[in-house]
Amino acid sequence: MQSIKQMPGRPALRRHLPDLRNLGVLLRTLLLVNLLALLTALVQEPAPVRLFETFLALAARVELPLFVIVLLYFAAAPMLVRLPWVFGVALLGSATAIVVALLFPLLAMPGDALWRWLLWALAALGATLAYFDHRERSLTPALAEARLMALTARIRPHFLFNALNGVLGTIRSDPRRAERALEELAELFRALMREQHGLVALADELVLCRRYLDIESLRLGDRLQVDWEVGDGVEEARVPPLILQPLIENAIYHGVEHVADASRIGVRIARRGAELRIEVDNPRADAGEVRVGNRIALDNIRERLQLFFDLEASLEAGPRGGRFHVVIRLPYRRSSHGPESAPAHTHR
C-alpha cells in the first residue's frame, strides 16, 4: 500500500516563518548558526592545529549579533507571523543587515570588510529558513496521515458492520437512539474528512471522542465505561487535530475488547500552569493478544506534537500498575487565530 507521504498530487504547502519563541526552534537556530561558523572556520583555516583558535575568534564575532537578532525576532514574532512569507523574509533580511552593520565597527578585526559580514549573515539567515522550511515539509504529512489512519479505522468492515448492526438492534426498541447513532456516525465521518492544518479547540476533540464512544457502546454495551476528568477551562485549549480520539480508540482496540467483564478507560485532562496534560489509561491485554498498530498511532501523535510544539511537548506511553498509560504534555494555548493556530515552526 502506498504511504501517505509518497502520494502524488498533494497540494503545495504554505510556507511559514520559524517561531523563535519556541525553545526547540531557538536551540536549533543557535546550533545551526554556530555550525555554519565552524564550517567557515574550516574554509578559512585548513590547518587542524589552528582550527579551534580560528573558530573561537569567528564565534566571538558571531554571538553578539546573533543574540541581538534573535532578541529582535522574538519581540517581533507576533507581527511577523501575520505577514506573507515573502514580506516576512524581506523584513528579517533587512533587520539582520541593519544589526550587522551597526555592530560591525565594534566587533570588526583588521582586514574585515562589511560586505563580507553582510553576505555571511544573510547566507546564515537563508540557510536557517531553508532548514526550517524543509523540516516543516517533512513533518507536515503526519497531519494527513493521522486523518487517513482514523478514517481507515472507521471504514474497516468490522467497524461499519458492528455500528450498523448495533443500529439495527436498537431501531425497534429505541428508534431515537438508533437515529442518533446514525447521525453520530455521519458527523464522525464529516469530522475525519475535514482538512485541518492548524490547532483546534479541545472542546471539538472531546465532542468527536464522545460521538465515537456512543457508536462503540452499541457494540460493547456495559463493557465499555469511561471515567472523564476534565479540568476547568481546558476545553478552550488549542491542540493538534485528532490527538485524543486515536488514544481512546487504541484503549478500546488493545484493551477493552480483550476483557470479558466491564472495563474502564480513564481520561484525565488538566491544566498545570502553562502546561496542558492529557492522560489516557486502559486495561492491558495479555501479551499474546496484543494487536499491531498501537505503536504506529502513538508515533504519529508524537510526530504531530513535534511539528506543532517541537521540544515543548512530549508523549510517554507504557504499562503501569496493570494498565497501559499514555501521557501527553503540551503548552496551554487558548487563542484560535494568529500564530497559535500554526505549527511550531510558524506559531506565535
Side-chain angles (χ1 to χ4, degrees), residues 26-341:
L26 271 174
L27 292 176
R28 287 188 170 89
T29 299
L30 296 175
L31 182 62
L32 180 60
V33 173
N34 281 279
L35 179 60
L36 292 173
L38 177 59
L39 294 176
T40 304
L42 285 171
V43 174
Q44 291 181 348
E45 186 56 67
V49 178
R50 300 186 55 187
L51 175 60
F52 185 67
E53 179 183 347
T54 304
F55 170 67
L56 286 182
L58 183 59
R61 288 176 283 173
V62 167
E63 298 308 324
L64 180 58
L66 176 60
F67 175 78
V68 174
I69 291 169
V70 167
L71 191 62
L72 288 176
Y73 293 175
F74 183 94
M79 177 192 66
L80 290 174
V81 78
R82 292 176 173 83
L83 296 176
W85 184 81
V86 174
F87 292 133
V89 171
L91 190 58
L92 291 180
S94 301
T96 299
I98 292 173
V99 170
V100 170
L102 291 176
L103 292 177
F104 177 77
L106 179 64
L107 301 173
M109 300 290 289
D112 283 349
L114 177 58
W115 69 269
R116 289 182 179 177
W117 276 49
L118 292 174
L119 184 62
W120 193 94
L122 294 176
L125 174 63
T128 302
L129 293 177
Y131 165 77
F132 283 113
D133 182 68
H134 172 74
R135 179 177 171 78
E136 181 182 346
R137 289 172 181 273
S138 65
L139 290 176
T140 297
L143 297 175
E145 188 173 354
R147 191 174 70 255
L148 179 63
M149 287 196 305
L151 183 59
T152 301
R154 297 292 74 72
I155 62 177
R156 281 197 298 254
H158 87 270
F159 176 83
L160 283 176
F161 174 80
N162 290 328
L164 295 176
N165 196 43
V167 170
L168 291 175
T170 58
I171 199 167
R172 292 185 178 179
S173 59
D174 192 350
R176 290 186 177 179
R177 175 70 181 92
E179 181 181 0
R180 189 171 72 249
L182 289 176
E183 292 174 351
E184 289 168 346
L185 187 61
E187 289 297 328
L188 190 62
F189 274 101
R190 185 175 292 110
L192 295 174
M193 294 293 291
R194 188 179 303 127
E195 287 282 348
Q196 294 171 325
H197 297 290
L199 301 179
V200 299
L202 178 59
D204 295 338
E205 292 293 291
L206 293 175
V207 170
L208 179 68
C209 292
R210 291 189 170 105
R211 283 181 178 141
Y212 170 73
L213 287 168
D214 283 344
I215 295 172
E216 288 286 44
S217 67
L218 292 175
R219 172 171 65 97
L220 299 171
D222 293 337
R223 289 173 54 199
L224 174 59
Q225 300 181 17
V226 182
D227 294 330
W228 292 93
E229 296 180 20
V230 180
D232 296 335
V234 300
E235 295 189 6
E236 301 176 359
R238 310 293 295 181
V239 298
L242 291 172
I243 194 175
L244 184 57
Q245 187 273 338
L247 297 181
I248 295 178
E249 179 182 337
N250 274 351
I252 294 175
Y253 192 58
H254 299 279
V256 176
E257 288 188 0
H258 299 277
V259 180
D261 301 326
S263 56
R264 293 185 175 275
I265 297 174
V267 181
R268 289 171 291 280
I269 307 174
R271 178 185 178 185
R272 297 183 177 179
E275 179 183 86
L276 182 69
R277 179 186 173 102
I278 301 174
E279 184 174 356
V280 177
D281 65 85
N282 58 272
R284 293 182 62 194
D286 294 335
E289 296 181 348
V290 175
R291 300 172 177 175
V292 297
N294 189 26
R295 182 57 55 187
I296 296 176
L298 294 178
D299 288 345
N300 179 270
I301 294 175
R302 189 176 285 109
E303 280 187 36
R304 289 184 287 127
L305 287 172
Q306 186 180 19
L307 170 65
F308 281 101
F309 304 111
D310 210 289
L311 299 181
E312 295 182 349
S314 65
L315 183 150
E316 301 173 2
R320 187 173 63 196
R323 296 174 67 83
F324 190 83
H325 287 253
V326 179
V327 179
I328 294 176
R329 297 180 179 87
L330 66 157
Y332 178 85
R333 297 197 174 111
R334 294 179 55 184
S335 176
S336 60
H337 55 80
E340 294 182 352
S341 296

